[in-house]
Amino acid sequence: MSGDDVWLIGAAMTPFGRFPDKDLIDLAADATLEALADAGTTMADINVLALGNVYEANSHNGQRLQKQVGQTGIPVYNVVNACATGATAVRVVLMSIAAGESDIGLAVGVEKMGKMGMIGGAAKPAAEKKVFSPKGRYGSVLKTEGVLGTGLMPGVFAQAGTEYALAHGVTATQFAKVAQKNHAHSVHNPLAQYRKEFSLAEILSAEMISYPNTLPMCCPTGDGAAAVVLVSGTRLRTMDPDVRRRAVKISASVLTADPWSESGQVQPDVNTLTRQAADAAYDKAGIGPDDLDLVELHDCFATAELLHYDNLRLCEPGGAGDFIDSGAPWRDGKTPVNVSGGLLSKGHPLGATGVANIFEVATQLRGEAGARQIEGARVGLTHVIGLASACAVHILEAGARR
Amino acid sequence: MPHQIPVVAYLRLGDPPHLTSAACTRCGALYFDRRNACARCFATDFTTRSLANEGTLRAFTFVGRAKRPYVSSVVALDGGGVVKANLLGVDRPEQVTPGMRVVLDTFVAGVDDEGTEAIAFGYRPLDGAPGGGAENDHGGTR
Ligand SMILES: [Zn+2]
């Protein structure tokens, strides 16, 4: 436990799903109080708070949360960063600790989406204009969605998938196998929004949302929250032996945005920033893809997960189709991926997702994941990416060997 | 012939219709929209370039959950520029092949109350359209 390291000592998440009788702050408070209890601490100790939320981001939810769990005057950072919002909140706390401004902090991610329909789906069409006139930076005279291709999330991630498929010969069935795996994994996770297994045939014959992704290959919308408590290595040394024994080291925390690319202006490139984040994280942690005991990656659509096998260097370059065929990312495979059920089945309340992934990996590294435990897991990686784009990768390691 | 207007300013309805792009005068990076500075090299001077009408299909998806199902595609144009538009005259995913060559085509995307037609563009397979080409469609698979 070097004084420079940052450690996780508390983690919690609410179940993901639809909770009409809880408001946004109820969900955030549930995760917060549970994470604080898990860490054996209270708001009295916390030096810094970061709260991630997307859809109500202008409501200063960090301060609203303090009013429900404890107002101690500490600084609050309200964070929004696409689907990397929660992970960015974690990183804000980590940076505050690394900068020496704080030695114990709380990061919370929360979202209440209810039954919004498909993630990033079409908005209600506006009333037709009477007279065409060019508007905006593209000089467009009407809404171009569906006229000049699609820019909505299901279509963007579908096209990212077919680009890889055309280049490397991946089939629609191989993409569907990703969803088959994650839905099967979710059966073991009591916190998952859906816990229903699907056969490959059921997935392939379901409603086509945006080829090759059928309905069970698209993540649902929902409500949920997750929270983590982080401390400096120096502070950790002063803490109770039980807290130290369960502490998980944050060996790397990396955030990236899109570098310029020729095609990026018309079709977001979800690959390059993920590769750059992963490579930087492996370098920082001194850990390679072969060292990972599990990965929680951003499977907002089945096509996305397959691409990220390659982007996170889990498979041979161009070999993501073979990787899923081999069974490697199943929970009994070489590199278990999304043993929580992933976004496809566990759910994707946007702001919570990047904290919930860290909760999952930390819980596994502590050996406390119950029926979904990967035996002997010591090292794990989390990945989130949101269009804009923002990508966060964290590498976590179990503490002293038990 | 009714009055026509392009759906976006980077489509020019000349003979033949073609795309234009802002091009960074320092590094040549292409942008369909107005930019304050080049995202690649940070220069602030731009010129206008005409782009090729032919290119290679890079990505596609059949959008199912829409009022009129259609095919979206990403096309890498010969000589530079990458564009997103509907893929026309293709009915099934199996008809799309790696390195598929396509060519620009236009269609009427809407008509306003003064009878002005908004003209959009898409791409058709270059060597014999596999699905046959309906005029003025969205590339739909009805
Ligand atoms: Zn430039």
Side-chain angles (χ1 to χ4, degrees):
Chain A
M1 290 174 203
S2 130
D4 298 323
D5 293 330
V6 176
W7 295 73
L8 179 153
I9 58 165
M13 69 176 273
T14 68
F16 283 0
R18 297 198 172 100
F19 307 108
D21 52 345
K22 285 184 188 283
D23 68 20
L24 187 83
I25 304 305
D26 286 326
L27 293 166
D30 285 354
T32 295
L33 295 174
E34 201 182 320
L36 290 169
D38 183 50
T41 188
T42 72
M43 284 304 288
D45 286 330
I46 299 294
N47 305 148
V48 60
L49 168 63
L51 186 138
N53 172 257
V54 177
Y55 282 104
E56 299 172 49
N58 60 355
S59 303
H60 310 100
N61 296 305
Q63 286 86 344
R64 289 173 70 203
L65 174 64
Q66 286 184 307
K67 287 168 185 145
Q68 302 305 321
V69 300
Q71 288 178 267
T72 58
I74 60 169
V76 172
Y77 298 89
N78 292 293
V79 175
V80 59
N81 208 10
C83 296
T85 291
T88 304
V90 173
R91 195 170 148 64
V92 165
V93 168
L94 185 140
M95 288 192 298
S96 173
I97 293 171
E101 281 201 1
S102 319
D103 62 359
I104 175 164
L106 171 69
V108 184
V110 61
E111 204 71 51
K112 195 164 164 61
M113 302 167 80
K115 219 172 156 56
M116 282 178 62
M118 178 75 51
I119 175 172
K124 215 188 234 172
E128 199 69 31
K129 278 189 181 53
K130 295 286 186 224
V131 179
F132 291 142
S133 70
K135 295 227 164 42
R137 291 191 174 221
Y138 292 96
S140 47
V141 304
L142 43 73
K143 277 194 164 45
T144 55
E145 174 63 27
V147 174
L148 298 180
T150 180
L152 300 182
M153 279 190 214
V156 166
F157 282 96
Q159 286 169 106
T162 59
E163 180 172 11
Y164 190 88
L166 288 171
H168 302 294
V170 174
T171 65
T173 301
Q174 285 171 317
F175 286 121
K177 284 182 179 178
V178 169
Q180 182 191 20
K181 169 182 70 72
N182 291 353
H183 288 296
H185 285 170
S186 73
V187 171
H188 305 290
N189 186 356
L191 300 169
Q193 185 163 351
Y194 294 109
R195 301 178 69 188
K196 180 178 181 306
E197 231 176 312
F198 291 84
S199 72
L200 198 53
E202 284 172 323
I203 293 165
L204 283 165
S205 63
E207 181 195 356
M208 183 59 69
I209 301 299
S210 196
Y211 177 90
N213 288 324
T214 64
L215 187 58
M217 297 165 72
C218 304
C219 73
T221 55
D223 311 335
V228 294
V229 178
L230 306 186
V231 293
S232 66
T234 304
R235 177 72 182 258
L236 181 61
R237 277 199 296 271
T238 69
M239 299 184 110
D240 186 271
D242 270 354
V243 174
R244 296 208 301 266
R245 182 179 58 77
R246 294 173 67 243
V248 171
K249 186 179 160 193
I250 314 246
S251 302
S253 169
V254 177
L255 183 68
T256 56
D258 287 326
W260 178 90
S261 73
E262 186 177 45
S263 59
Q265 63 162 333
V266 294
Q267 162 73 9
D269 168 14
V270 301
N271 303 313
T272 306
L273 81 167
T274 295
R275 286 169 179 259
Q276 292 185 347
D279 291 348
Y282 289 134
D283 191 48
K284 173 78 166 51
I287 278 171
D290 288 342
D291 301 321
L292 300 173
D293 297 314
L294 78 155
V295 172
E296 288 284 309
L297 63 74
H298 203 77
D299 59 324
C300 47
F301 297 89
T303 46
E305 173 162 327
L306 198 111
L307 301 184
H308 296 317
Y309 296 154
D310 206 326
N311 294 330
L312 298 175
R313 320 293 186 191
L314 306 182
C315 65
E316 294 296 316
D322 292 340
F323 189 72
I324 185 72
D325 278 347
S326 76
W330 281 77
R331 50 174 292 113
D332 58 355
K334 172 175 157 281
T335 311
V337 174
N338 288 333
V339 297
S340 68
L343 280 56
L344 289 179
S345 210
K346 181 177 71 178
H348 182 26
L350 308 186
T353 292
V355 186
N357 287 354
I358 290 172
F359 161 84
E360 178 65 23
V361 169
T363 302
Q364 292 277 353
L365 300 185
R366 287 165 148 186
E368 298 171 358
R372 66 186 189 285
Q373 180 67 43
I374 299 299
E375 282 311 317
R378 308 285 308 166
V379 184
L381 179 148
T382 67
H383 159 257
V384 284
I385 178 184
L387 296 185
S389 302
C391 174
V393 170
H394 285 86
I395 294 177
L396 279 62
E397 289 183 83
R401 192 165 284 280
R402 289 178 285 275
Chain B
M1 186 166 159
H3 184 60
Q4 296 187 326
I5 187 171
V7 290
V8 284
Y10 57 92
L11 171 64
R12 296 292 161 87
L13 298 181
D15 186 24
H18 64 282
L19 302 186
T20 63
S21 176
C24 173
T25 53
R26 184 193 288 169
C27 78
L30 300 174
Y31 302 101
F32 289 121
D33 57 339
R34 179 171 63 77
R35 296 284 170 133
N36 298 74
C38 177
R40 183 198 209 180
C41 81
F42 332 128
T44 53
D45 290 328
F46 297 90
T47 184
T48 301
R49 235 193 86 182
S50 290
L51 303 183
N53 277 356
E54 296 183 8
T56 303
L57 185 91
R58 185 186 278 194
F60 71 98
T61 183
F62 283 67
V63 178
R65 201 176 259 195
K67 201 185 275 178
R68 296 174 77 193
Y70 62 97
V71 188
S72 175
S73 64
V74 179
V75 174
L77 299 174
D78 297 349
V82 177
V83 62
K84 186 177 274 186
N86 287 4
L87 182 62
L88 309 174
V90 169
D91 302 320
R92 299 189 313 278
E94 299 71 35
Q95 293 172 326
V96 180
T97 52
M100 186 168 171
R101 299 283 299 156
V102 294
V103 61
L104 183 136
D105 196 2
T106 57
F107 60 89
V108 177
V111 181
D112 73 9
D113 288 348
E114 295 177 352
T116 300
E117 293 179 342
I119 304 300
F121 66 96
Y123 291 87
R124 287 185 188 281
L126 191 58
D127 306 316
E135 286 304 312
N136 298 344
D137 68 1
H138 286 203
T141 55
R142 297 168 301 282

